[in-house]
Amino acid sequence: MVNSDMTIIGKLDKRFSEAEAPTDWQSVGDALALAQLYWLTTVRADGRPHVTPLVGVWVDDSFVFCTGPGEQKARNLDHSRAVAVTTGTNTWNEGLDVVVEGEASRVTGRQRLTALADAYREKYGGDWNFDCDDEVFDPNGERAMVFEVAPAKVIAFAKSPHGQTTFSW
């Protein structure tokens, strides 16, 4: 929920929480921005889930990723834009896990793609160094389509103390 001063406020679910207060949005945004690896869940045409690890960037309160048009996740997005993006730590009593639920929308336009390519370079260095045109990253190579997930709902799972905070738009 966004309150009148544009602060994003989460609601602590007491059923699943030992924490006394919800996780703050700044901590959630930091976890999403600093993560090196994410897990993307898409839905296959037959309804089965498809989960894959990938790199991405958190920009302007949205998750951005890219994929080749022949990859399973791209084929899944052709029929269903519903996705979940997950990141966190593989520990029980420390860290913060975050799930972003929303719809993936294709990003095009040289100016926007250039800014996103810069965000990838800033975060991952030379490992993800994209050129772009008006449609894709790497126009003369693998041609990676770029998608943005604006959250419909974000769930943060704090681990010490355990707490489940939900943010809805």
Side-chain angles (χ1 to χ4, degrees), residues 138-153:
D138 195 21
N140 300 312
E142 297 293 321
R143 299 191 57 80
M145 300 181 301
V146 179
F147 291 89
E148 177 178 41
V149 180
K153 179 173 156 181

Side-chain angles (χ1 to χ4, degrees), residues 13-60:
D13 190 329
K14 296 282 190 177
R15 297 174 301 167
F16 309 114
S17 301
E18 298 165 354
E20 295 295 319
T23 301
D24 64 279
W25 180 250
Q26 181 67 47
S27 296
V28 174
D30 289 349
L32 287 162
L34 296 172
Q36 292 293 303
L37 185 68
Y38 307 85
W39 293 86
L40 177 71
T41 303
T42 56
V43 182
R44 297 174 192 264
D46 65 5
R48 292 180 300 132
H50 174 259
V51 182
T52 187
L54 77 167
V55 298
V57 292
W58 182 252
V59 177
D60 299 328

